[in-house]
Amino acid sequence: MKIGIANDHTAVEMKKEVTAYLESLGHEVINFGTDSTESTDYPIWGEKVANAVASGEVEKGIAICGTGLGISLACNKVHGIRAAVCSEPYTAKYGRLHNDCNILCFGARVIGIEMAKMMLDAFLTTEFEGGRHQRRVDEIMDIERRNSGK
């Protein structure tokens, strides 16, 4: 799978570890984040990975900042994105299963690399269930269209 990854300055080391893990599983990882620990703004990086997911350049996205929240807010401003902030595998799994989330967000200051790996496994191996959940995802996307002029 082709996966985009983005991060701010707080998550440079976490991104390196996540990238190595994903590549060890056979995924291709495209870097949309910073490689510098100099302070930078997470919205820049969130938008980059979200645009790559929305355009189909990558199949899924990973976005990491200090808490995961700020970068997720930026990602979710891009049309077609459903980014989930997670701190454990259950939410990562159900974000895919019930919400068809296409970007997993988490905080480098909140979780360690082993928890990140468990969440990545859950997120990347779970397929969207569809059915009654499709109706709800469609309702979310209708809200997005009504409020974005698209």
Side-chain angles (χ1 to χ4, degrees), residues 99-125:
N99 307 114
D100 199 18
C101 289
N102 46 19
I103 299 181
L104 173 64
C105 305
F106 51 88
R109 293 177 174 161
V110 176
I111 65 165
I113 188 61
E114 293 307 317
M115 182 61 70
K117 289 176 182 178
M118 288 187 284
M119 291 185 337
L120 289 161
D121 290 342
F123 184 78
L124 295 173
T125 62

Side-chain angles (χ1 to χ4, degrees), residues 92-147:
K93 176 180 178 173
Y94 278 84
R96 286 286 309 129
L97 192 66
H98 288 180
N99 307 114
D100 199 18
C101 289
N102 46 19
I103 299 181
L104 173 64
C105 305
F106 51 88
R109 293 177 174 161
V110 176
I111 65 165
I113 188 61
E114 293 307 317
M115 182 61 70
K117 289 176 182 178
M118 288 187 284
M119 291 185 337
L120 289 161
D121 290 342
F123 184 78
L124 295 173
T125 62
T126 302
E127 294 296 324
F128 178 50
E129 192 172 62
R132 71 183 192 276
H133 304 294
Q134 183 63 59
R135 182 182 75 248
R136 295 167 184 160
V137 169
D138 291 344
E139 289 171 356
I140 292 168
M141 301 313 293
D142 286 344
I143 292 169
E144 183 178 81
R145 277 187 287 280
R146 284 195 306 272
N147 288 280

Side-chain angles (χ1 to χ4, degrees), residues 83-95:
V85 183
C86 300
S87 57
E88 37 64 37
Y90 184 86
T91 305
K93 176 180 178 173
Y94 278 84

